[in-house]
Amino acid sequence: MAVSQRFLAALLLSPLAAIAYAQQPAPLPNVATLMDQVETRQRQMDQLREDYTYHETTVTKTLNKNGSVKKTETEENEVFYVRAHRIDRLVRKDGKDLSGGEAKKEQDRVMKDVEKAQNTPPGQPINGDNISVTRLLEIMQVSNPRREMLDNRSTIRFDFTGNPHAKTHGRAEDASKKLAGTIWVDEQDREVRRLEAHFDDNFHMGFGLFSIGKGSSFVFDQKLVNPGAKEQGLWLPTDGQAHLVAHAIGFISYRVEIVFSDSNYQRFHADAQQVK
């Protein structure tokens, strides 16, 4: 009680001290509790995303050993989700619509992926080459929390590494255990705002015949978007990029730069009949 009285007296005698006290930053939230909340929110967003579709444009540049662009390819996909699994439907390639035969072949592939997604629990990949943000959160270990403003919103920034003891399914999840980087969490909505990651070591695939090289990196952004829906607080992917260094036995190492951007968010409920 005496301490409280001395503190109040100091505030009365020193308005500047009162102002300084009021301007002190709020303490950082408990890390374990925060990350549990982020994982819960991400799973909720996974469910909400099943009511939406969006357009994604991906530009892939293959580089030669000098870093010059050797080949550029562009793909445009309509993206939707089934049981938290992402489904891509290719609609344009290198600026050209698919031919009738190509469109039918793509639609058949999409229907197979939809069927797989409907029969695969959330959190398990429908193929070995994809990994969701939700699974990355479950596999990573975070440290060094600090507060940082991003897009005029308060975020908690962490360093992270992959947990080498995490249980994984498929090549992409196995590779994620080799990742390290930084993650930004929106403090108000408890959502992943940005993720930057890189490989600290080579990751071997295909019985060691192929590997993703150390130094490969990627950046992923998702933001609070307004697709004209009644729900508020919907977070969706907006853009990202990747730099891949790959090695294959019998082939010269090659590098690829990938940039994607997302737009045209619309309401949509995905099931097999509607996709047809």
Side-chain angles (χ1 to χ4, degrees):
M1 184 67 181
V3 173
S4 177
Q5 291 175 343
R6 288 198 299 270
F7 175 72
L8 292 174
L11 292 183
L12 292 173
L13 292 174
S14 177
L16 291 177
I19 294 173
Y21 178 78
Q23 292 178 341
Q24 286 182 350
L28 291 171
N30 178 271
V31 172
T33 301
L34 173 63
M35 295 310 296
D36 284 344
Q37 293 170 342
V38 172
E39 289 184 27
T40 298
R41 283 289 294 162
Q42 191 66 45
R43 283 191 288 269
Q44 291 172 349
M45 286 297 107
D46 289 344
Q47 294 179 347
L48 287 175
R49 286 172 181 171
E50 295 190 18
D51 292 332
Y52 295 88
T53 181
Y54 57 91
H55 189 86
E56 182 169 279
T57 300
T58 304
V59 179
T60 303
K61 296 181 179 180
T62 303
L63 311 179
N64 60 26
K65 61 181 180 181
N66 299 319
S68 300
V69 177
K70 184 168 60 175
K71 181 173 64 174
T72 300
E73 297 174 293
T74 303
E75 289 188 352
E76 297 179 44
N77 286 273
E78 295 299 332
V79 181
F80 60 96
Y81 293 83
V82 176
R83 293 197 73 186
H85 301 291
R86 171 176 164 142
I87 308 291
D88 292 8
R89 182 173 73 88
L90 181 66
V91 293
R92 288 171 66 86
K93 189 168 184 178
D94 296 326
K96 298 179 180 179
D97 293 336
L98 301 185
S99 67
E102 291 172 333
K104 184 181 184 306
K105 184 177 180 180
E106 177 66 7
Q107 186 65 18
D108 291 341
R109 184 196 63 79
V110 169
M111 291 308 303
K112 290 179 181 178
D113 280 353
V114 169
E115 185 176 359
K116 287 181 184 178
Q118 290 173 329
N119 294 299
T120 304
Q124 295 183 19
I126 59 176
N127 59 61
D129 298 322
N130 294 322
I131 183 170
S132 65
V133 175
T134 303
R135 282 296 292 144
L136 276 175
L137 289 170
E138 294 170 348
I139 293 169
M140 69 173 58
Q141 302 174 124
V142 299
S143 61
N144 191 24
R146 60 269 197 202
R147 188 174 277 110
E148 183 176 301
M149 296 299 293
L150 195 60
D151 295 334
N152 295 318
R153 292 177 67 94
S154 177
T155 66
I156 307 298
R157 178 178 176 178
F158 296 93
D159 298 327
F160 76 87
T161 58
N163 180 358
H165 306 295
K167 293 183 179 180
T168 53
H169 306 276
R171 293 185 298 268
E173 291 190 8
D174 291 341
S176 68
K177 295 195 287 187
K178 296 279 188 178
L179 289 175
T182 308
I183 183 172
W184 287 258
V185 172
D186 186 84
E187 189 167 8
Q188 176 179 321
D189 286 1
R190 298 302 202 250
E191 285 283 355
V192 175
R193 167 59 185 83
R194 183 178 178 87
L195 189 147
E196 296 180 358
H198 59 271
F199 281 94
D200 270 345
D201 197 0
N202 295 332
F203 177 74
H204 299 282
M205 304 172 66
F207 303 101
L209 299 178
F210 177 82
S211 68
I212 299 174
K214 178 180 179 180
S216 296
S217 62
F218 69 88
V219 178
F220 167 82
D221 283 298
Q222 61 179 12
K223 295 181 182 179
L224 189 61
V225 300
N226 182 17
K230 295 179 180 179
E231 295 92 342
Q232 298 296 318
L234 184 68
W235 287 75
L236 288 170
T238 56
D239 54 86
Q241 54 187 294
H243 171 74
L244 300 179
V245 180
H247 309 279
I249 293 178
F251 295 90
I252 299 174
S253 299
Y254 64 94
R255 290 182 291 168
V256 176
E257 298 282 358
I258 303 171
V259 177
F260 74 85
S261 58
D262 300 316
S263 60
N264 195 27
Y265 305 97
Q266 297 181 18
R267 266 192 84 85
F268 173 80
H269 187 74
D271 61 34
Q273 185 62 36
Q274 288 175 312
V275 171
K276 289 180 184 178

